[in-house]
Amino acid sequence: MKKDIHPNYHTINVVMTDGTKFETRSTMGKEGETIHLDIDPKTHPAWTGVHRLVDSGGQVAKFNKRFKDMGIKTK
């Protein structure tokens, strides 16, 4: 096996969206760094079954305004 070609595998801290924390090993960042998750299994629709629409920069409002006369019902 070649030396010095693999990334450093070390311990990092992860903070989930609800504030819970855990420690894991990763090649991301440096030893002891903390990752703050924006999306995790507690909030992602794939795991929760609840769909939340995240509107970044008013894109949903822009879409609704553009296609309001096409018969699409909005809440």
Side-chain angles (χ1 to χ4, degrees):
M1 184 189 289
K2 293 182 181 179
K3 292 184 179 184
D4 301 325
I5 64 166
H6 299 287
N8 183 19
Y9 192 61
H10 50 269
T11 305
I12 61 168
N13 300 305
V14 178
V15 179
M16 304 207 11
T17 55
D18 67 350
T20 57
K21 301 174 186 177
F22 66 93
E23 187 175 89
T24 189
R25 293 181 50 85
S26 174
T27 58
M28 179 265 170
K30 297 177 182 169
E31 178 79 29
E33 275 193 23
T34 301
I35 300 174
H36 295 274
L37 299 179
D38 294 330
I39 298 175
D40 62 27
K42 294 180 179 183
T43 60
H44 194 280
W47 287 281
T48 62
V50 177
H51 179 69
R52 279 189 317 158
L53 192 55
V54 178
D55 187 7
S56 58
Q59 293 297 312
V60 173
K62 185 177 178 181
F63 176 87
N64 287 337
K65 181 179 177 186
R66 183 174 179 187
F67 295 106
K68 68 181 176 184
D69 298 325
M70 300 274 304
I72 300 172
K73 294 182 180 180
T74 59
K75 291 182 181 180

